[in-house]
Amino acid sequence: MRTLISTAFISLDGVVEAPGGEPGYRNSGWTFKDVEFLPEAFEIKDREQGEASAMLLGRVSYASFSAVWPGMADFADYNQLPKYVVSGTLTEDDLVTNWGETTILRTLDDVAALKETEGGPIIVHGSATLNQGLSDAGLIDRYHLLVFPLLLGAGKRLFSATDKDTQKLRLVEHEAYANGLQKNVFDVVR
């Protein structure tokens, strides 16, 4: 079974919306506007690119990332990886042609079937709504969280407010940085 890894920039109060400056959110760009950049705090991002064998995205994140990541040197390792986009509305005509092979998945059952295939880890970037569904369905195996020392209030959250049984996590890696960022890597306990 393949490992499904959710990776996120997250505020201390759980917000994941518009960390890179996406329009429409009042605190957009909070990862670089409000916290000093320290390269060592982002080492995990390089590691993720080297370890991932595929990317899984929701429709909105796919549209945002596919418009810019193919031409960015920082994300070059992702260009050749297969991508999977979970969407009930996306069509083949909506897919870009310069970002490698992309497959549209229609349901979380399709994601569960993908996890049963041969291959390495599948990484999920952004995709707040998709992350909530994956978490609620018990499909995420690991979380890579860079926690920013910010309280953003309103905004899209990584985790849903669904009433569900406790899900235990095991901290397998952590580090705190001089700028207040914390790296927390959790495995989901089954």
Side-chain angles (χ1 to χ4, degrees), residues 27 34 38 78 85 88 118 121 135 138 145 164-165 170 180:
N27 292 318
D34 299 312
L38 292 178
Y78 285 136
V85 184
E118 293 293 320
S135 178
L145 305 178
K164 60 185 176 185
D165 291 338
R170 180 178 16 304

Side-chain angles (χ1 to χ4, degrees), residues 47-127:
R47 190 171 9 135
E48 288 169 351
Q49 284 191 72
E51 293 174 355
S53 67
M55 288 180 69
L56 180 68
L57 300 162
R59 178 190 51 79
V60 173
S61 291
Y62 174 79
S64 295
F65 296 159
S66 68
V68 293
W69 279 21
M72 294 179 69
D74 288 345
F75 303 110
D77 290 342
Y78 285 136
N79 288 343
Q80 298 310 311
L81 289 184
K83 282 114 192 133
Y84 298 89
V85 184
V86 181
S87 171
T89 60
L90 199 70
T91 68
E92 294 291 327
D93 291 339
D94 296 321
L95 302 177
V96 299
T97 58
N98 64 337
W99 204 28
E101 174 191 347
T102 303
T103 303
I104 299 171
L105 304 177
R106 296 295 181 198
T107 68
L108 293 180
D109 288 339
D110 293 339
V111 175
L114 174 63
K115 284 185 63 174
E116 295 292 333
T117 63
E118 293 293 320
I122 302 165
I123 194 111
V124 182
H125 282 279
S127 308

Side-chain angles (χ1 to χ4, degrees), residues 8 36 57 79 137 147 151:
E36 174 191 4
L57 300 162
N79 288 343
V147 182
L151 300 174

Side-chain angles (χ1 to χ4, degrees), residues 10 17-18 34 87 92 99 143 146 179:
I10 186 168
E17 186 169 354
D34 299 312
S87 171
E92 294 291 327
W99 204 28
Y143 292 94
L146 278 180
N179 61 358

Side-chain angles (χ1 to χ4, degrees), residues 140-163:
I140 295 177
D141 301 297
R142 175 173 277 194
Y143 292 94
H144 289 183
L145 305 178
L146 278 180
V147 182
F148 284 70
L150 302 169
L151 300 174
L152 299 175
K156 292 180 185 174
R157 309 254 181 228
L158 184 62
F159 302 103
S160 77
T162 302
D163 185 17

